[in-house]
Amino acid sequence: MPALEGSVENIVFRNEDNHYTVARFRPKDSGRLFRDDLTTLVGIMPGIRTGELLTVEGEWENDPRYGKQLRVTSFTQRLPASTEGIIRYLSSGLIKGIGPKKASLIVEHFGEQTLAIIEQQPERLREVKGIGAKDCNQIIKAWAEQSEIKELHLFLQSHDVSINVATRIYKQYGKESIKVIRANPYQLAQEVHGIGFRTADEIAVKLGLPPDSLPRLASGLKYVLTQAANEEGHCFLREADLMQRASEALKASPEILPHALDILRSEQDIFVEPPEAAATATLDDEWAAEEDSAEPTNLQARIYYGPFWYAESGSARLLRSLLNSPSSLPPAPQKLWDTVFVLLKQKRNMHLTEKQRAAVQMAYNNKVCILTGGPGTGKSTSIRALLMLLRNRKVDVALAAPTGRAAKRLAEATGVQAQTLHRLLEYAPHDNSYQRNEDRPLSHQFVIVDEFSMVDILLFYHLLKALPREAHLLLVGDADQLPSVGPGNVLHDLLAGEAIPTVRLTELFRQAQQSKIIVNAHRINAGAMPSTKIEANSDFFFMAEEDPMRAQQLILDLVQRRLPARYHFNPLTDIQVLAPMYKGPIGVTMLNECLQERLNPRAFAQVELGDHILRVGDKVMQTRNNYDKGVFNGDIGWIRSISRENATAKVEFVEETGSTFVSYDFNELDELTLAYAVTVHKSQGSEYPAIVLPLVLQHRMLLQRNLLYTAITRAKRFCVLVGQPQALEIAVRNARIAQRNTALAERLLAWSKGSAQTLV
């Protein structure tokens, strides 16, 4: 068909991931009074903006729902020429700082020459009444950036890279962006959020990089190792497994991969460790490990990506050093302990059990120890008793947890200020480093870390590096919960390593026995079915529903109407829906869409992000660690404002120190996702007044005892399970735990040789 010329009236829909766009288009010379004059364009159209002039080619089709539309096969862009088009173009969000009002002022002054003047004589913007020097400078800077970004967009259009990601590339490399991409596109996968190996690989292939080139093969090997860490929690892969995965990912013969592996080893990007070396290898033995594994012939050799090898072997080394170093605490004879426990009982009304007393003494008398146990077993009481003794003896103590929510809970439980581990270790986002380390250790004599099951091997390593050798470390957590989202299985490995004194609390206190949530959590943990008998004033319910769609409607009704009416829960702040997985009618994705429509159907401001919408008032979750903003994967907040003129949204997060407001540019909003429903994994470390958990056979792959146990123990006052009784039974009976490739336990066993004291 002949080319069709016209202007973009508005963008109806855009998927930023694949650039599929639905736009309303006004063909040249058509009328401007009626919407019927507009044509619907559909297809892959990266970067088009409201007000732009387009020349499009495509095929007409009749959609049964939307009618006649043009499926675009190719298009070219031109800047608008009319004053009306220029106003819409400038106010479309393309240039931060220019909204509809300022755009109109500028165009009224310069007319059809506006864009040429901004491009060639931007200083003349000061002639416009209402445009100050600050506005002028912002517009000049934004126009220059957008011109460069536009060039980058055009360069990346054929490589299926989204506009948002192109903007991030520009932020990372500036004017050098295209040069960097041409030199080594795989650099993007390591340094730019939103670009993975596959996207970088597609760009590289289109740029003509040979499929068997060493940069491609080496990047592919690192990609497979990092994917295994991020998605499965592995610290290493067996050599045969790595080669198979890399061969599939690269579509390359396994025979060409060993040379790339050798290059990475020589550059110490990866480490190859025979299984028998794991028992003795530490950071002290770095070069020896390299020499020992120079010619690995055993297909069971362990292949580590560098950061995980340093973290795992370094943690073993530092733990050994910490355990073998003298304590700075004054000695505490048994007579003192007898007096302490009597005073706690008389003056604080704290009746400690024998195990709780053992836990307090263990923490004081040992450099590193673990306190574990389920909900209602007295972990918080034990910590409070220990803190009273430490303060009485003028011991400098710090309390920390992996997340702001967990730190806030710890502070509430103990009455002592607590902070995140990142804040304790003084994380510096500008250079992605921790200011507290071996060269500048913490000043505290005693550090207590709660919710330790959430701590991955990388964070644990940085904590150990920052601890003074004379300090004490108490790790508190529930060993039966899900492991950390990040790589490693640290709490499990420390317990299995038998090198660290441990107390496991098992006795349920009387108050806890009155909670069906806690009682049923312990029943499930022991492999017994929870009591589903309906009782008055119970805090635990199972609502049977065989049909997933009816279960979905039941969940929506519970959150929106039933629980608020009966128990006075706020549906936005008190009730959290948890789900085992993302897919399906009662998966996280669909539940979020439905709950948003029920709880926040309209707002005075919203922004479209591909196939979903974010509105003022929405409950959202941060999906990756953003150290520049100080927000982390799993943090939950609320959108408080959206400014189209500034192309920003402001989100309120509640941290251990109170509320903080974080600003996001529109091109950063893909870091946020709706959080009316979240996965059980993402809920770790949190506690909610009420939780609603769907359980259906569609979730079979993730119906596991530790996942169900973790979900139920997130509920503080009320828990309701919705779904199929058979799914509940499968989850309770399935004690299988996904195995993670870690060797920390072996490294600890190698030198502990039964020296640890386990108190039972």
Side-chain angles (χ1 to χ4, degrees):
M1 63 162 287
L4 190 65
E5 295 184 359
S7 61
V8 180
E9 290 295 304
N10 68 294
I11 306 297
V12 178
F13 171 82
R14 172 155 45 211
N15 185 324
E16 297 292 358
D17 292 329
N18 59 18
H19 306 304
Y20 180 81
T21 305
V22 179
R24 297 291 279 163
F25 179 75
R26 188 179 298 279
K28 188 177 181 181
D29 300 327
S30 69
R32 292 188 173 273
L33 296 179
F34 305 102
R35 293 182 59 86
D36 290 345
D37 295 325
L38 300 181
T39 296
T40 299
L41 304 181
V42 298
I44 306 300
M45 293 176 281
I48 68 168
R49 293 276 182 175
T50 299
E52 275 188 324
L53 300 179
L54 293 185
T55 301
V56 298
E57 294 183 1
E59 299 291 336
W60 290 105
E61 62 184 24
N62 279 304
D63 185 275
R65 183 174 179 184
Y66 299 107
K68 188 177 181 180
Q69 55 192 24
L70 181 69
R71 182 163 296 278
V72 176
T73 55
S74 65
F75 70 96
T76 56
Q77 296 165 274
R78 291 179 290 121
L79 292 175
S82 69
T83 56
E84 179 188 349
I86 294 171
I87 290 173
R88 287 188 292 115
Y89 180 70
L90 291 179
S91 60
S92 68
L94 177 69
I95 301 175
K96 189 174 179 179
I98 301 183
K101 183 178 179 180
K102 290 180 182 177
S104 296
L105 290 173
I106 295 169
V107 175
E108 284 173 9
H109 189 84
F110 295 117
E112 295 179 354
Q113 299 300 311
T114 297
L115 299 182
I117 287 172
I118 293 177
E119 175 71 32
Q120 299 169 16
Q121 298 174 287
E123 67 280 355
R124 290 190 60 193
L125 287 168
R126 294 190 178 90
E127 299 174 12
V128 182
K129 187 176 180 180
I131 303 295
K134 182 178 179 182
D135 289 330
C136 182
N137 291 335
Q138 186 174 3
I139 293 169
I140 292 171
K141 180 181 177 182
W143 183 266
E145 288 181 353
Q146 286 299 326
S147 296
E148 294 165 356
I149 292 172
K150 192 76 171 180
E151 181 184 2
L152 183 61
H153 288 171
L154 292 172
F155 175 75
L156 292 173
Q157 272 185 17
S158 62
H159 304 304
D160 297 328
V161 178
S162 75
I163 295 169
N164 284 344
V165 172
T167 303
R168 286 198 204 97
I169 292 174
Y170 180 80
K171 283 187 174 182
Q172 182 78 20
Y173 305 116
K175 296 178 181 180
E176 301 297 312
S177 296
I178 295 177
K179 181 180 178 182
V180 168
I181 295 170
R182 289 191 181 280
N184 181 11
Y186 295 104
Q187 190 173 337
L188 304 179
Q190 298 182 19
E191 299 176 352
V192 181
H193 169 66
I195 290 191
F197 169 79
R198 295 190 184 281
T199 301
D201 194 39
E202 289 176 7
I203 294 173
V205 170
K206 290 181 179 180
L207 290 176
L209 195 70
D212 60 350
S213 67
L214 280 175
R216 179 174 187 265
L217 300 180
S219 295
L221 288 168
K222 289 191 288 187
Y223 162 74
V224 169
L225 289 170
T226 53
Q227 283 294 99
N230 295 334
E231 296 182 0
E232 302 170 69
H234 294 318
C235 289
F236 64 84
L237 287 178
R238 304 287 183 184
E239 185 175 8
D241 188 18
L242 171 62
M243 292 303 179
Q244 180 181 348
R245 294 186 187 206
S247 177
E248 293 173 357
L250 293 164
K251 294 181 174 57
S253 170
E255 287 76 21
I256 66 175
L257 294 173
H259 184 43
L261 191 66
D262 290 338
I263 296 296
L264 290 172
R265 289 180 63 195
S266 65
E267 296 174 354
Q268 295 193 359
D269 281 343
I270 68 168
F271 290 85
V272 179
E273 189 176 83
E276 63 273 11
T280 55
T282 67
L283 279 177
D284 295 329
D285 308 316
E286 175 182 333
W287 292 107
E290 281 293 284
E291 291 172 2
D292 291 343
S293 59
E295 296 292 336
T297 56
N298 185 350
L299 290 180
Q300 295 302 302
R302 295 164 174 165
I303 316 295
Y304 285 82
Y305 186 40
F308 308 135
W309 188 85
Y310 282 108
E312 189 179 87
S313 56
S315 294
R317 171 181 65 87
L318 291 168
L319 273 173
R320 180 173 60 183
S321 174
L322 192 62
L323 286 164
N324 290 336
S325 300
S327 169
S328 64
L329 303 187
Q334 186 58 45
K335 186 177 180 181
L336 172 64
W337 288 113
D338 295 338
T339 303
V340 166
F341 294 135
V342 169
L343 290 175
L344 286 174
K345 183 176 180 181
Q346 292 177 347
K347 296 188 176 182
R348 301 286 183 172
N349 197 30
M350 296 179 70
H351 301 259
L352 301 185
T353 65
E354 287 300 319
K355 280 193 175 182
Q356 287 177 311
R357 293 185 181 191
V360 174
Q361 290 183 261
M362 171 192 68
Y364 191 91
N365 294 329
N366 292 274
K367 295 293 302 303
V368 184
C369 54
I370 297 171
L371 173 60
T372 186
T377 56
K379 296 192 298 296
S380 295
T381 300
S382 303
I383 295 173
R384 288 201 304 272
L386 175 63
L387 287 171
M388 289 176 187
L389 174 66
L390 294 175
R391 282 183 292 182
N392 181 263
R393 308 206 85 187
K394 304 290 191 297
V395 175
D396 184 358
V397 61
L399 272 65
T403 67
R405 291 166 293 164
K408 190 170 185 292
R409 286 179 55 202
L410 178 59
E412 292 170 351
T414 61
V416 177
Q417 182 181 356
Q419 57 191 316
T420 62
L421 282 167
H422 284 89
R423 196 181 300 275
L424 174 70
L425 301 178
E426 298 179 18
Y427 182 83
H430 62 277
D431 60 357
N432 190 29
S433 67
Y434 292 89
Q435 300 305 296
R436 293 292 184 174
N437 48 44
E438 289 174 298
D439 296 326
R440 186 171 172 261
L442 295 165
S443 59
H444 308 291
Q445 296 171 274
F446 209 114
V447 174
I448 300 173
V449 181
D450 196 18
E451 292 288 356
F452 187 71
S453 62
M454 297 178 64
V455 175
D456 63 30
I457 191 64
L458 297 171
L459 186 55
F460 185 52
Y461 178 44
H462 287 293
L463 170 63
L464 291 175
K465 286 202 293 184
L467 279 175
R469 295 306 90 190
E470 68 276 6
H472 283 234
L473 177 63
L474 172 61
L475 306 174
V476 184
D478 189 341
D480 296 312
Q481 286 187 22
L482 291 169
S484 59
V485 174
N489 198 352
V490 182
L491 180 55
H492 175 273
D493 284 353
L494 293 181
L495 292 170
E498 301 178 2
I500 299 176
T502 299
V503 165
R504 180 186 288 268
L505 301 177
T506 56
E507 180 181 345
L508 270 184
F509 283 83
R510 182 176 301 174
Q511 183 177 358
Q513 292 174 4
Q514 298 172 0
S515 167
K516 293 298 181 183
I517 294 174
I518 294 177
V519 170
N520 280 326
H522 283 271
R523 286 180 60 84
I524 289 168
N525 198 36
M529 289 290 289
S531 172
T532 57
K533 180 182 177 182
I534 297 178
E535 300 178 17
N537 302 318
S538 177
D539 58 3
F540 182 95
F541 290 91
F542 177 78
M543 303 183 73
E545 179 52 72
E546 291 290 342
D547 182 77
M549 288 306 299
R550 287 200 297 268
Q552 179 199 90
Q553 294 305 307
L554 176 55
I555 290 169
L556 299 179
D557 193 42
L558 282 167
V559 175
Q560 182 187 24
R561 187 180 64 85
R562 293 196 196 184
L563 296 183
R566 176 72 183 273
Y567 301 98
H568 308 292
F569 289 124
N570 184 315
L572 284 172
T573 58
D574 293 339
I575 305 172
Q576 182 63 59
V577 178
L578 306 180
M581 60 194 301
Y582 286 97
K583 297 179 180 179
I586 46 179
V588 167
T589 302
M590 183 61 72
L591 285 172
N592 267 320
E593 292 179 8
C594 296
L595 286 166
Q596 182 192 43
E597 193 59 33
R598 291 281 191 108
L599 302 177
N600 193 28
R602 58 185 61 86
F604 58 84
Q606 65 182 37
V607 58
E608 298 78 20
L609 292 175
D611 57 356
H612 67 280
I613 296 172
L614 293 180
R615 299 181 176 121
V616 171
D618 272 339
K619 185 179 184 180
V620 293
M621 174 181 283
Q622 177 76 14
T623 59
R624 75 176 186 94
N625 291 340
N626 188 323
Y627 299 108
D628 292 324
K629 296 183 184 298
V631 288
F632 303 95
N633 188 359
D635 285 352
I636 287 181
W638 285 263
I639 298 177
R640 296 308 185 196
S641 66
I642 292 175
S643 170
R644 284 200 169 275
E645 183 164 322
N646 294 320
T648 59
K650 191 164 289 184
V651 180
E652 178 186 7
F653 291 95
V654 178
E655 297 185 347
E656 74 275 20
T657 54
S659 292
T660 181
F661 291 85
V662 178
S663 182
Y664 290 80
D665 291 341
F666 279 1
N667 61 57
E668 298 173 317
L669 287 177
D670 63 346
E671 296 183 17
L672 298 175
T673 187
L674 293 174
Y676 299 102
V678 301
T679 63
V680 179
H681 277 86
K682 293 285 189 181
S683 73
Q684 285 180 265
S686 299
E687 191 175 66
Y688 311 99
I691 69 119
V692 180
L693 175 73
L695 289 172
V696 294
L697 295 178
Q698 291 176 346
H699 297 160
R700 184 183 293 269
M701 291 290 293
L702 290 174
L703 291 178
Q704 298 171 355
R705 185 185 299 171
N706 63 344
L707 182 137
L708 178 59
Y709 173 75
T710 300
I712 290 173
T713 55
R714 300 308 92 207
K716 188 175 183 180
R717 291 162 47 198
F718 192 88
C719 173
V720 56
L721 311 184
V722 177
Q724 300 161 336
Q726 186 182 357
L728 174 61
E729 185 174 351
I730 289 173
V732 173
R733 305 293 184 223
N734 182 11
R736 179 180 58 84
I737 297 175
Q739 186 66 37
R740 293 188 170 191
N741 291 342
T742 67
L744 179 60
E746 292 180 34
R747 297 176 194 276
L748 296 176
L749 281 167
W751 59 265
S752 65
K753 295 180 180 178
S755 63
Q757 173 189 10
T758 301
L759 305 176
V760 295

